[in-house]
Amino acid sequence: MKTFKLGGVHPEENKISAAEAIEVLPLPAKVCIPVSQSLGAPSKVVVEKGAVVRTGQIIAKGESFISSNVHSSVSGKVTKIDDVIDTSGYKRQAVYIDVEGDEWEEGIDRSPEIIHDILPDRDTIIRKINEMGVVGLGGATFPSHVKLMVPDGKKAEYLLINGVECEPYLTSDHRLMLERGEEMIIGVKILMKALGVNKAFIGIEKNKQDAIVHLSVICSKHPGIEVVPLKVKYPQGGEKQLIKAVLNREVPSGKLPIEVGCVVNNVGTALAVYEAVQKNKPLIDRVVTVTGKSVAKPSNLLVRIGTPVSALVEFAGGLPEDAGKVISGGPMMGKALTSLDVPVVKGTSGILIMKGAESKRAAALNCIRCGRCITACPMGLEPVLLAQLSENQLFERAEKERIMDCIECGSCHYTCPAGRPLLDYLRLGKNKTGILIRNRGKK
Amino acid sequence: MNETVLFAVLSLSAIGVASAVILYFVAQKFKVIEDPRIDVVNEILPGANCGGCGLAGCRAFAEELVKTGDLSKLNCPVGGSDTMKQIASVLGLEAEEKEPMIAVVRCNGSRINAPQKVIFDGAESCAFAHALSAGESGCPNGCLGLGDCVVSCKFDAIYISPETGLPVVSDEKCVACGACVTACPRKIIELRKKGKKDRRIFVSCVNTEKGGPAKKNCSVACIGCGKCVKECPYDAITMQNNLAYIDYDKCRLCRKCAPVCPTGAILETNFPLRKEKPGEPGTEKVAEPVTAG
């Protein structure tokens, strides 16, 4: 069974909601759609207070190269354009809409019929993906059209589709592969066409055996697309780890996957691409896993962007009494929420409610130099050293020790028997080192 | 004496003498001529190597002083005016009279004023907490209380008060090197004039939110009402981004602004107690004088 060689950990799986079919969450009464929903510059609001919008109507335009459009996920009236508190408690600009009915923008094909014929024109495909605001749904929300514009002098050989879902607890990609596999594969074909490649691999961890079988059957009808079962190991969903696992190629430090002829996209993104190109449907909803050991009804929900997290928690049976933390994303890379009023955004892959006791961090003890973090690091770094350098503000040295290669997977923190907050210091160091490097470029 | 021994002794001595001669000439050739005044100036400096002057250490500062021969831009905050005068006399220059400065904490969001709403359990570092969250009280500008300023201070002049969770600057120990000012990710700490008898008035808030949201998270936040601006007879107070700021060059410590502030965001230190006017007791907002260190 294929996997990446260096480091990695195997956290307890807990895919509680794996058997729950995707349910459509009823429309909320109000939505609040943050303007900045992709990596890069925030988009500019193009609607005014009091305007009546329809589902799928553009409400914020991405103006710079790395930025994407934001569309209204419901139909109704814009009540205000104001700040909303995001996951970290900071304020971000957002559009508030009161829901009235469910009228869709004309031109959006809502029939369940699957359209197999693909436009041959590469530029039209990329333009459509850009217009429909498709971003990477794996969590980092990198605008998809940018990935498809291969820089001059580089050539894409393979398309890698990330169906690994290595985060424990999350099952949204798993359900998508099972329920929307047919459409997803067309999405993959569209991506292949846009990139000009004739080989695509779908990497799936073997704990999703049913998805592997299901997609393999579909793929047998589509030459050039192959399902690659992978050993269960975290963080295999990381771009660089996935490339290493599937193709045994190594992306050089500080470079993008295109350097070794690859483009990696998430399965959710492939489906969003299908909907955008074939059905003219902007990215206005996504599948979110709501789960946790004490959650009454763990589910996979199709949620409109902008729905408050509280509505999802309510649907899953309310907040359990012993809830300690509500995490947006998976337990390894997710972020604890400060409030349940936070809206679901394009990057929200799951809502995890952890029990009080297990959500507590262990007190940080002294480092015993066991070296487990070094063994666990999938990038071959020395987290213990980097954390010390960052704590002592020696960023020049940290840069030499390749701190910028850290993918923030948290494997080091997970394995540390002394409970040291290694990832926290690495993130801090990465941030400061990044500032240092950028300032150097200015001079 | 054995001939062999004699030969050995002589040849070794010859090598020694030859090496000495070579070394002497090499030393002459590569001699670095250093101004002897650098050593003198270095002696006068406090030797704390704190970086408050903006240079790497005291030696570097001494070199810079002698090299430029200009005292207008260089100042040792630790030594203060006396040290600078001494240096000026050595270099035959005139030292500018600089008023002593001190670090002040422009946040009063203590545990009571700004109650905790969420628990931050990441690394104990303000820089990290600032990057990740708006703070435990929800104020996006206020003190995080994780002590990056305490770590940065080489003079042991700042500590986190266990009651309020806010940093406290010791009047005696602070030398105004500015290390804490740089360390604070939220730009809460500021160098101000020490003032006569350590008396200072400053707005103890950096929140730029509008009145409502600011007050929601912290009862002593500046709400930008502008009452102090109207009250000040010396035009020392300006209002920017819903936040009042008292210019310490213009402020004459008349204390008129503090009583009109509806939230008590203006802090007075080391002033004698106000005479209570009959009919309106309890307007006192004098901060406790700092004694511990």
Side-chain angles (χ1 to χ4, degrees):
Chain A
M1 194 73 64
K2 282 183 175 179
T3 188
F4 62 101
K5 292 281 175 323
L6 200 59
V9 291
H10 184 52
E12 203 188 339
E13 248 167 59
N14 285 319
K15 303 263 190 190
I16 305 164
S17 52
E20 308 294 332
I22 298 171
E23 282 176 88
V24 180
L25 187 80
L27 276 182
K30 281 173 188 171
V31 293
C32 159
I33 305 169
V35 171
S36 175
Q37 290 218 35
S38 65
L39 211 71
S43 312
K44 196 169 169 263
V45 183
V46 291
V47 287
E48 275 166 19
K49 186 185 160 184
V52 176
V53 292
R54 296 208 280 183
T55 312
Q57 188 180 330
I58 189 161
I59 53 171
K61 248 189 153 63
E63 284 178 332
S64 65
F65 179 60
I66 299 181
S67 142
S68 78
N69 294 341
V70 178
H71 300 78
S72 172
S73 60
V74 293
S75 65
K77 204 170 171 189
V78 177
T79 49
K80 58 180 172 177
I81 294 160
D82 200 358
D83 293 337
V84 66
I85 291 175
D86 73 355
T87 42
S88 15
Y90 284 109
K91 288 179 178 161
R92 304 268 181 262
Q93 200 184 26
V95 178
Y96 287 76
I97 302 168
D98 269 358
V99 181
E100 290 161 7
D102 194 18
E103 274 179 61
W104 286 58
E105 194 73 332
E106 275 161 41
I108 300 174
D109 182 0
R110 295 181 67 199
S111 64
E113 199 182 314
I114 296 173
I115 304 165
H116 289 273
D117 301 325
I118 302 171
L119 276 174
D121 185 8
R122 176 177 174 268
D123 290 339
T124 318
I125 293 174
I126 295 178
R127 186 176 52 82
K128 263 193 168 170
I129 290 174
N130 184 6
E131 268 173 21
M132 299 302 168
V134 180
V135 298
L137 294 180
T141 61
F142 190 79
S144 293
H145 65 277
V146 182
K147 263 191 191 177
L148 297 176
M149 290 189 236
V150 178
D152 290 333
K154 304 265 160 46
K155 200 187 171 312
E157 283 175 69
Y158 299 108
L159 171 69
L160 258 64
I161 299 296
N162 186 350
V164 173
E165 202 157 53
C166 57
E167 274 267 10
Y169 286 98
L170 297 190
T171 56
S172 52
D173 286 353
H174 183 184
R175 291 315 304 179
L176 266 188
M177 287 189 279
L178 281 179
E179 295 175 37
R180 311 285 296 273
E182 198 86 33
E183 290 142 287
M184 210 194 80
I185 297 293
I186 299 169
V188 175
K189 286 177 82 175
I190 295 169
L191 285 169
M192 284 165 74
K193 183 127 279 172
L195 285 167
V197 299
N198 41 30
K199 190 77 195 161
F201 296 101
I202 306 173
I204 307 172
E205 282 189 350
K206 66 165 182 190
N207 57 359
K208 292 174 270 290
Q209 199 59 46
D210 47 354
I212 296 175
V213 173
H214 181 68
L215 287 190
S216 299
V217 170
I218 302 171
C219 285
S220 58
K221 284 179 270 172
H222 301 276
I225 307 177
E226 194 186 311
V227 175
V228 184
L230 299 168
K231 211 174 137 182
V232 184
K233 193 154 127 191
Y234 178 86
Q236 200 146 228
E239 276 189 334
K240 292 179 182 179
Q241 279 65 36
L242 186 67
I243 294 169
K244 178 75 186 161
V246 176
L247 297 170
N248 199 19
R249 291 184 182 188
E250 258 170 51
V251 182
S253 166
K255 293 282 163 56
L256 294 169
I258 193 71
E259 199 72 19
V260 291
C262 297
V263 172
V264 183
N265 270 301
N266 181 268
V267 283
T269 318
L271 183 69
V273 163
Y274 162 82
E275 286 185 328
V277 178
Q278 306 292 77
K279 301 265 186 177
N280 279 325
K281 187 183 154 222
L283 183 56
I284 52 162
D285 51 14
R286 69 156 297 148
V287 179
V288 181
T289 303
V290 187
T291 184
K293 278 179 190 160
S294 53
V295 171
K297 191 171 159 280
S299 4
N300 296 296
L301 305 171
L302 184 68
V303 183
R304 300 280 175 98
I305 302 292
T307 309
V309 167
S310 53
L312 277 70
V313 174
E314 215 47 61
F315 191 86
L319 200 63
E321 266 177 30
D322 59 353
K325 252 185 203 176
V326 180
I327 294 169
S328 165
M332 297 297 284
M333 289 192 74
K335 206 167 172 189
L337 296 176
T338 54
S339 143
L340 285 186
D341 300 329
V342 171
V344 167
V345 290
K346 291 176 183 175
T348 313
S349 48
I351 300 295
L352 169 63
I353 302 165
M354 288 203 120
K355 286 203 265 188
E358 63 179 5
S359 72
K360 290 263 174 1
R361 277 197 193 205
L365 308 172
N366 293 334
C367 173
I368 55 167
R369 306 193 188 261
C370 60
R372 274 199 219 172
C373 54
I374 300 170
T375 325
C377 181
M379 295 304 291
L381 307 175
E382 286 181 59
V384 55
L385 171 71
L386 293 172
Q388 274 170 7
L389 291 175
S390 153
E391 205 177 343
N392 296 322
Q393 321 225 333
L394 301 167
F395 302 119
E396 301 266 347
R397 172 87 197 281
E399 192 196 344
K400 276 192 197 122
E401 301 287 348
R402 308 194 309 162
I403 195 167
M404 296 312 279
D405 280 0
C406 170
I407 57 165
E408 305 184 18
C409 65
S411 297
C412 50
H413 187 161
Y414 177 80
T415 53
C416 182
R420 297 193 65 72
L422 294 169
L423 176 58
D424 296 0
Y425 280 115
L426 276 162
R427 268 191 188 153
L428 183 64
K430 255 184 95 172
N431 192 348
K432 291 276 167 86
T433 314
I435 294 170
L436 204 77
I437 294 170
R438 278 196 295 279
N439 285 346
R440 201 182 296 149
K442 269 180 210 159
K443 276 171 200 164
Chain B
M1 205 184 278
N2 191 325
E3 217 171 87
T4 325
V5 173
L6 189 71
F7 184 69
V9 167
L10 280 178
S11 59
L12 271 175
S13 315
I15 292 170
V17 170
S19 308
V21 170
I22 294 168
L23 280 175
Y24 173 77
F25 283 108
V26 169
Q28 286 293 312
K29 176 82 185 162
F30 290 102
K31 190 177 172 186
V32 177
I33 300 156
E34 202 179 47
D35 199 318
R37 290 180 298 173
I38 294 176
D39 282 325
V40 182
V41 173
N42 196 23
E43 277 301 300
I44 301 168
L45 288 171
N49 290 322
C50 66
C53 53
L55 291 154
C58 289
R59 180 81 196 180
F61 184 58
E63 277 170 21
E64 191 71 16
L65 279 170
V66 174
K67 202 175 87 189
T68 55
D70 179 17
L71 298 187
S72 60
K73 278 168 196 157
L74 297 164
N75 180 43
C76 173
V78 181
S81 282
D82 293 341
T83 306
M84 290 313 287
K85 263 184 207 156
Q86 257 181 292
I87 293 169
S89 65
V90 168
L91 299 177
L93 298 163
E94 196 84 12
E96 252 177 82
E97 191 70 35
K98 285 245 162 68
E99 247 186 275
M101 308 281 272
I102 190 169
V104 297
V105 179
R106 292 182 60 206
C107 176
N108 201 12
S110 63
R111 300 223 167 103
I112 296 157
N113 294 335
Q116 188 185 39
K117 285 179 187 149
V118 291
I119 303 166
F120 175 78
D121 68 351
E124 288 252 326
S125 157
C126 300
F128 184 67
H130 174 65
L132 266 193
S133 75
E136 293 186 326
S137 70
C139 173
N141 301 89
C143 177
L144 296 155
L146 293 169
D148 277 14
C149 49
V150 178
V151 175
S152 73
C153 184
K154 289 193 179 145
F155 300 92
D156 201 18
I158 199 162
Y159 68 97
I160 302 280
S161 158
E163 286 131 50
T164 58
L166 294 171
V168 181
V169 180
S170 154
D171 283 3
E172 291 94 47
K173 288 183 181 172
C174 178
V175 296
C177 69
C180 52
V181 177
T182 336
C184 180
R186 295 198 153 171
K187 313 266 171 271
I188 289 166
I189 306 182
E190 185 195 321
L191 293 183
R192 288 187 86 92
K193 277 183 187 166
K194 210 161 185 178
K196 250 183 214 165
K197 292 182 191 164
D198 287 348
R199 286 174 184 174
R200 295 178 291 276
I201 294 183
F202 57 94
V203 178
S204 186
C205 183
V206 286
N207 191 318
T208 51
E209 286 175 308
K210 279 181 189 154
K215 193 93 201 298
K216 209 170 144 194
N217 293 322
C218 177
S219 63
V220 291
C222 171
I223 53 171
C225 64
K227 278 188 183 166
C228 51
V229 180
K230 276 184 209 139
E231 194 70 24
C232 182
Y234 307 108
D235 291 332
I237 309 182
T238 47
M239 186 70 71
Q240 244 181 20
N241 296 333
N242 308 309
L243 179 64
Y245 180 78
I246 303 178
D247 186 342
Y248 50 72
D249 283 328
K250 288 182 186 163
C251 175
R252 306 249 190 108
L253 304 176
C254 70
R255 301 172 79 190
K256 277 185 181 153
C257 52
V260 297
C261 179
T263 57
I266 300 177
L267 219 60
E268 312 173 337
T269 61
N270 301 318
F271 280 94
L273 289 178
R274 276 172 200 275
K275 279 176 204 152
E276 264 184 40
K277 279 181 199 167
E280 45 169 320
T283 46
E284 208 49 72
K285 284 184 291 280
V286 178
E288 279 176 33
V290 181
T291 44

